[in-house]
Amino acid sequence: MDAQTDQQYRIMTIENHILQEQRSHPQATGVLTSLLYDMALAGKVIASKTTRAGLAEILGRTEDVNVQGEQVMKLDRLADLTIFRLNDRTGRLAALASEENANMMQIPEDYPAGRYVLLYDPLDGSSNIDYNVPVGTIFAIYRRKSPDDQPADLQDCLQPGRKLVAAGYIIYGSSTMLVYSTGAGVHGFTLDPSVGEFLLSHPNIRIPAKPHYFSANLGYKFFWSKGTQAYTEYLQGHDGGIKGLSLRYVGSLVSDFHRNLLAGGVFYYPADRKDPQKPHGKLRLLYEAAPLSFIAEQAGGLGSDGRKNILDVEPTELHQRTPLYIGSRYLVEKAEQFIREYDAT
Ligand code: FDP
């Protein structure tokens, strides 16, 4: 077999891919590699639950309300526990934080603590679960800041996106995909259910130069600032600036982000006046905005809160919310321009 044919028929599993990336960092110990592989495993376990959701009669809500004041779905809890239990005793993590838990989670006593912290949104877009709309898991990995021989503290989790070591998401849709970056490009893997492995299907993802879509909940348009309203009209082609993009809004961030990453476009969930309890919009900086902005930037795009690169925002709270404009760089910069022009600081 010649080299080209050999390459053509070579199957790249996620494990091989992560190991290959590790080889380009001679100082790497393999801990991050194992941690990423743990997340791939968590993705497989959660995918097996989401695809059997109706069969197992686990759809519907639990009685609980989570820290965000939202009703917790059973699958959210399953996903949350799956990720926690696969990671809390491996010796790779110093702490974990999940969108579903009010406080940072320490490693159980008697188990070794590691060098990394893991922040995750176990099942993003969960209000869509009952309707068979794709949902996803988002994860963010930082190096701990506190000394290795002491318990982790909150500051280990409150790090800006710039400090991310790796981030990724798993989307449970018509197929299950895992997309991740360690700062050397963005790579996508599709789960082959017949062999139970994530196989490289989208190497080196770059957001296409020509955008196709914009995604926002236009139902809230009248609660948005003047800048965001004017920006929306620009995207619709009203001021003749661009031809006008197609609107696609699933209402499941991972799905909306993933589509725009592959097709080109922008997703935004701005601050609005709808809910006085949420003056900065709905999305969470640490579990959603920062990891996805890291991926967007690695794919040539951008994530912004409308004024500032999301990766430069210093978090002050674990469950901090932020406006988010994310996707094709040009369109996100355009949003910042409209906001500067129309909205008071
Ligand atoms: P959900 O409440 O279903 O978990 O951050 C959560 C999120 O979904 C995002 O995935 C999604 O983009 C957004 O909220 C949808 O919110 P709206 O229903 O207000 O549009």
Side-chain angles (χ1 to χ4, degrees):
M1 197 182 287
D2 61 51
Q4 200 186 345
T5 320
D6 178 57
Q7 201 53 37
Q8 219 172 342
Y9 286 95
R10 202 164 274 276
I11 292 172
M12 179 68 88
T13 64
I14 193 162
E15 190 178 15
N16 283 341
H17 192 270
I18 298 171
L19 280 169
Q20 189 169 295
E21 284 218 328
Q22 186 192 317
R23 266 182 237 119
S24 56
H25 300 278
Q27 75 290 359
T29 57
V31 175
L32 180 64
T33 301
S34 307
L35 182 46
L36 286 168
Y37 198 62
D38 292 340
M39 286 312 296
L41 178 59
K44 285 189 227 175
V45 175
I46 297 168
S48 74
K49 309 272 189 238
T50 53
T51 48
R52 292 175 53 81
L55 292 171
E57 291 184 338
I58 50 176
L59 287 180
R61 296 163 217 288
T62 62
E63 299 298 303
D64 296 356
V65 168
N66 73 7
V67 62
Q68 316 289 345
E70 299 154 347
Q71 224 165 6
V72 178
M73 319 285 290
K74 284 182 182 172
L75 270 175
D76 293 40
R77 175 165 303 155
L78 264 172
D80 192 34
L81 275 177
T82 300
I83 297 174
F84 182 74
R85 288 183 180 153
L86 280 172
N87 284 285
D88 67 332
R89 293 166 189 201
T90 58
R92 307 193 232 286
L93 294 177
L96 298 91
S98 153
E99 194 210 286
E100 296 294 337
N101 292 282
N103 301 314
M104 184 185 93
M105 297 171 284
Q106 294 281 2
I107 300 303
E109 266 178 44
D110 302 334
Y111 285 88
R115 281 187 286 133
Y116 294 99
V117 287
L118 172 69
L119 285 82
Y120 61 96
D121 181 352
L123 217 54
D124 180 71
S126 53
S127 62
N128 292 299
I129 291 171
D130 286 356
Y131 315 114
N132 224 337
V133 171
V135 288
T137 297
I138 308 174
F139 61 92
I141 299 170
Y142 294 89
R143 209 163 273 119
R144 73 183 293 181
K145 287 165 71 183
S146 55
D148 287 0
D149 56 354
Q150 284 173 27
D153 61 47
L154 192 56
Q155 295 312 314
D156 290 317
C157 294
L158 299 183
Q159 302 195 50
R162 251 328 136 217
K163 298 263 180 213
L164 275 163
V165 173
Y169 61 86
I170 303 151
I171 179 166
Y172 312 103
S174 45
S175 59
T176 300
M177 267 194 80
L178 187 152
V179 175
Y180 86 98
S181 176
T182 54
V186 179
H187 310 286
F189 300 79
T190 303
L191 182 65
D192 181 339
S194 62
V195 290
E197 267 298 349
F198 280 106
L199 305 178
L200 182 63
S201 51
H202 297 66
N204 281 317
I205 298 172
R206 303 291 299 170
I207 302 183
K210 185 173 179 295
H212 280 91
Y213 301 117
F214 77 104
S215 315
N217 191 335
L218 289 193
Y220 304 150
K221 186 174 168 192
F222 296 107
F223 297 103
W224 293 344
S225 70
K226 276 206 163 59
T228 300
Q229 291 190 15
Y231 175 58
T232 304
E233 284 166 17
Y234 161 82
L235 294 172
Q236 292 170 321
H238 284 216
D239 67 2
I242 52 173
K243 193 165 148 259
L245 300 174
S246 274
L247 169 68
R248 293 279 190 287
Y249 185 72
V250 172
S252 172
L253 175 60
V254 175
S255 309
D256 283 311
F257 176 80
H258 182 68
R259 183 196 50 247
N260 294 350
L261 181 77
L262 297 184
V266 63
F267 169 96
Y268 50 106
Y269 203 111
D272 60 44
R273 293 185 305 278
K274 191 166 50 72
D275 183 347
Q277 303 295 320
K278 298 176 187 166
H280 303 296
K282 182 180 183 191
L283 304 181
R284 292 80 173 172
L285 174 62
L286 288 169
Y287 310 108
E288 297 171 313
L292 294 185
S293 296
F294 181 77
I295 294 190
E297 204 167 285
Q298 283 294 317
L302 183 63
S304 168
D305 67 1
R307 297 184 186 276
K308 193 173 180 178
N309 189 319
I310 285 283
L311 299 180
D312 294 324
V313 177
E314 294 278 347
T316 53
E317 289 168 39
L318 214 43
H319 294 282
Q320 190 167 331
R321 294 180 194 267
T322 179
L324 178 65
Y325 301 77
I326 191 165
S328 300
R329 177 168 282 271
Y330 174 76
L331 292 180
V332 175
E333 285 173 350
K334 206 68 192 170
E336 290 176 332
Q337 189 185 315
F338 273 95
I339 287 166
R340 262 196 315 272
E341 196 174 320
Y342 285 85
D343 300 344
T345 44

